[in-house]
């Protein structure tokens, strides 16, 4: 094993970036886990381990015979097995998490929980107590909407990233700073609008949510929009645009066009633009985002 002390600063930084990109956010577990006990218990319960026992017994018997010829005495094989069995039985079994996988029942439960909420506060409580989505098991926080719902302006991103999940708020870190500058350029402040995400839990490693996971989250974000009653929506990124507009187009084909999004019995005008992370990766696209922001500014001035 290579020690961190053997790495140069540049090599150590590259290694840390690699782990961050792979979804490793923390170096230690919250609680101590006995990996040796987990391994021993899994070996005891494993069919492969049971199949390997006859061969292991023959090898031990051969070793015992060889040792006996050399004058070395060893405990008999039954005694060894008995001691190993007692040791394995005394070790705690690994804890198995009760992971809720997405299915039709979970989607129906999410729909019921969202529809029964009569305010954003009730919806937040319902979302935080909902355990029907496996994404919640790996996330540190449930990220709900923040800001002023009375502003009539709602900005929606795709899902929390590692910084959001660590802080428990939408759009923090580098993407949050860039979003703040984008909004300030058209005279907006995040405190004076409602900022949220389609998916309230960060997927492991920032992977895209599966279709069932999206359908579980759909009732909650649609209910957020219905309860907030915004006059205009600004959708950030390819995932968010596809979620609300449908289809399989990219953000470059979906951006810059006003479309109506259904919200209960009403419709809300919405425009999509590039996500701040996309702009950090490709700064040349900032001119496209600026055009979209100007179109959004012109629309909200009429509110």
């Amino acid at each position: 094993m290579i020690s961190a002390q053997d790495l140069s600063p540049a090599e150590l930084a590259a290694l840390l970036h690699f782990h961050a990109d792979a979804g490793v956010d923390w170096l230690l577990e919250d609680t101590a886990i006995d990996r040796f006990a987990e391994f021993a218990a899994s070996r005891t319960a494993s069919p492969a381990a049971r199949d390997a026992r006859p061969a292991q017994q023959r090898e031990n018997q051969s070793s015992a015979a060889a040792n006996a010829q050399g004058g070395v005495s060893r405990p008999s094989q039954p005694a060894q097995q008995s001691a190993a069995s007692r040791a394995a039985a005394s070790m705690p079994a690994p804890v198995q998490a009760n992971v809720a996988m997405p299915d039709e029942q979970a989607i129906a439960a999410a729909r019921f929980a969202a529809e029964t909420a009569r305010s954003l506060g009730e919806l937040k409580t319902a979302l935080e107590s909902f355990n029907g989505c496996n994404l919640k098991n790996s996330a540190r926080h449930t990220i709900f909407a923040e800001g002023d719902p009375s502003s009539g302006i709602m900005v929606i991103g795709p899902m929390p990233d590692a910084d959001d999940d660590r802080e428990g708020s939408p759009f923090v870190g580098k993407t949050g700073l860039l979003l703040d500058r984008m909004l300030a350029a058209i005279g907006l402040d995040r405190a004076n609008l409602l900022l949220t995400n389609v998916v309230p839990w960060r997927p492991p490693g920032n992977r895209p949510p599966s279709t069932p996971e999206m359908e579980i989250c759909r009732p909650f974000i649609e209910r957020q929009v219905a309860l907030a009653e915004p006059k205009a929506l600004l959708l950030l990124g390819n995932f968010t645009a596809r979620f609300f507009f449908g289809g399989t187009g990219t953000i470059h084909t979906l951006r810059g066009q006003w479309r109506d999004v259904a919200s209960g019995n009403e419709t809300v005008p919405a425009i999509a633009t590039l996500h701040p992370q996309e702009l950090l990766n490709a700064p040349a696209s900032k001119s496209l985002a600026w055009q979209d922001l100007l179109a959004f500014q012109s629309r909200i001035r009429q509110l």
Side-chain angles (χ1 to χ4, degrees):
M1 179 182 294
I2 299 176
S3 172
Q5 297 177 349
D6 299 329
L7 299 177
S8 67
E11 291 173 333
L12 182 59
L15 180 61
L16 292 174
H17 282 298
F18 169 79
H19 286 303
D21 292 339
V24 179
D25 300 329
W26 300 92
L27 297 180
L28 300 175
E29 298 283 353
D30 292 336
T31 57
I33 297 177
D34 190 342
R35 301 297 184 188
F36 295 101
E38 287 186 357
F39 178 76
S42 65
R43 290 269 301 178
T44 302
S46 171
R50 290 196 298 268
D51 294 340
R53 285 174 185 169
Q56 185 65 38
Q57 290 173 359
R58 290 192 297 271
E59 181 180 348
N60 292 339
Q61 290 171 354
S62 299
S63 299
N67 291 332
Q69 293 177 357
V72 179
S73 63
R74 291 198 174 202
S76 64
Q77 182 66 19
Q80 290 179 346
Q81 287 182 335
S82 177
S85 299
R86 289 195 300 270
S90 64
M91 293 181 177
V95 178
Q96 299 294 330
N98 185 17
V99 179
M101 299 305 293
D103 55 22
E104 292 297 328
Q105 185 176 0
I107 295 173
R111 189 177 299 114
F112 176 79
E115 290 175 352
T116 53
R118 293 293 176 262
S119 66
L120 288 174
E122 290 183 7
L123 184 62
K124 180 180 180 181
T125 301
L127 183 60
E128 290 175 340
S129 61
F130 181 78
N131 296 315
C133 184
N134 56 298
L135 293 178
K136 187 175 183 179
N137 296 299
S138 59
R140 292 184 173 272
H141 290 95
T142 298
I143 310 298
F144 195 71
E146 289 187 358
D148 182 11
S150 66
S151 64
I153 302 171
M154 196 169 185
V155 179
I156 305 178
M159 65 204 76
D161 61 14
D163 292 326
D164 302 343
D165 189 38
R166 187 177 301 116
E167 299 296 330
S169 297
F171 285 96
V172 298
K174 292 182 178 179
T175 57
L177 291 175
L178 180 54
L179 178 62
D180 289 345
R181 291 197 293 268
M182 293 167 63
L183 295 173
I186 57 173
L188 296 177
D189 186 284
R190 71 159 61 205
N192 300 323
L193 50 82
L194 194 63
L195 185 63
T196 190
N197 285 300
V198 171
V199 178
W201 303 289
R202 181 206 177 200
N206 291 338
R207 66 164 174 80
S210 66
T211 298
E213 291 166 349
M214 289 170 54
E215 292 308 310
I216 287 179
C217 297
R218 182 180 295 277
F220 292 108
I221 183 59
E222 289 181 345
R223 190 60 176 161
Q224 280 189 57
V225 175
L227 291 172
E229 299 181 338
K231 304 300 181 184
L233 297 176
L234 179 62
L235 310 180
L236 302 176
N238 188 70
F239 176 88
T240 314
R242 286 183 178 178
F243 184 87
F244 283 99
F245 295 160
T248 58
T250 67
I251 188 60
H252 290 279
T253 61
L254 297 173
R255 53 157 290 273
Q257 306 172 35
W258 283 99
R259 307 189 186 197
D260 288 333
V261 171
S263 176
N265 297 325
E266 306 293 333
T267 59
V268 183
I271 190 172
T273 191
L274 287 86
H275 191 279
Q277 185 60 53
E278 295 170 324
L279 300 179
L280 290 173
N281 296 337
S285 299
K286 289 184 177 181
S287 60
L288 300 177
W290 178 238
Q291 296 174 20
D292 303 334
L293 291 173
L294 290 177
F296 188 71
Q297 180 188 48
S298 177
R299 186 65 173 255
I300 62 178
R301 281 179 175 175
Q302 304 173 12
L303 298 179

